[in-house]
Amino acid sequence: MPYKLLFVCLGNICRSPSAENIMNHLIDQAGLSESILCDSAGTSSYHIGSPPDQRMNAAAIAKLGIQLCGRARQIEKSDFQDFDMILAMDRDNYDGILALDPTGKDHDKVRLMCEFCTQHTLKEVPDPYYGGVEGFNQVIDLLVDACEGLLQHVTNQQLRA
Ligand code: 4NP
């Protein structure tokens, strides 16, 4: 059974699709695409069905040469059963995710993405939506760091279990 990761932000058009696509890129490079699967979702319904934000896609292409794929969807309760780990981009997202699990049964599956950063000290991936180009570039830098740490974590802790 592959290990399944779900990346979650507010709109599922900027941060979480970037995390999903960057992680898939690292997983492909590591030859682990049969072992680790990724998806992303938003806590809100604002952008359901929309492709990734063009500004976010432009930053991913400029910095990494990665084209962002996917369509926005909203997180649902069944995601707690379907995924092994749920990565929240910020604390609001974290709280929104836990609100879908009132018993707290799957609390341990939910983590803040920046926990896995080794180069950056920010604790949250800032929402770039209402800001300028620098904010989108910062999202990419943070997510590359976090995704590298997360891949290490998953390969060390889970695949050897
Ligand atoms: P994301 O960014 O949560 O990283 O996808 C946002 C996208 C849309 C909105 C806010 C943040 N919005 O308010 O519509």
Side-chain angles (χ1 to χ4, degrees):
M1 282 278 280
Y3 193 79
K4 293 178 71 180
L5 299 169
L6 181 66
F7 300 97
V8 178
C9 60
L10 177 63
N12 193 209
I13 55 170
C14 296
R15 293 165 292 175
S16 62
S18 299
E20 176 190 355
N21 281 273
I22 291 168
M23 194 67 185
N24 273 330
H25 184 72
L26 297 179
I27 289 168
D28 281 349
Q29 283 183 335
L32 292 171
S33 46
E34 307 283 304
S35 309
I36 310 173
L37 298 184
C38 300
D39 192 10
S40 65
T43 55
S44 79
S45 60
Y46 305 156
H47 296 279
I48 290 174
S50 296
D53 186 286
Q54 284 186 17
R55 299 164 297 170
M56 195 72 253
N57 195 39
I61 291 171
K63 288 185 81 78
L64 304 173
I66 294 176
Q67 180 95 36
L68 301 181
C69 328
R71 295 272 164 184
R73 72 172 179 90
Q74 190 171 20
I75 187 171
E76 48 195 327
K77 284 191 169 138
S78 58
D79 288 320
F80 285 102
Q81 276 68 60
D82 293 345
F83 290 88
D84 297 292
M85 201 170 180
I86 300 176
L87 287 310
M89 298 299 130
D90 65 32
R91 289 202 173 82
D92 282 347
N93 308 149
Y94 182 86
D95 292 342
I97 296 163
L98 289 189
L100 290 174
D101 174 34
T103 66
K105 183 170 69 68
D106 294 311
H107 188 131
D108 292 351
K109 288 188 177 184
V110 187
R111 307 283 290 268
L112 273 170
M113 188 66 181
C114 284
E115 279 181 47
F116 297 97
C117 283
T118 62
Q119 309 298 313
H120 294 81
T121 52
L122 271 182
K123 297 298 176 209
E124 304 178 281
V125 184
D127 181 347
Y129 193 69
Y130 291 106
V133 174
E134 271 320 302
F136 290 91
N137 288 335
Q138 182 189 34
V139 167
I140 298 292
D141 289 342
L142 275 169
L143 289 177
V144 168
D145 185 10
C147 284
E148 286 173 349
L150 179 61
L151 184 58
Q152 276 273 300
H153 173 85
V154 173
T155 50
N156 289 347
Q157 307 294 317
Q158 306 301 331
L159 298 179
R160 283 184 199 163

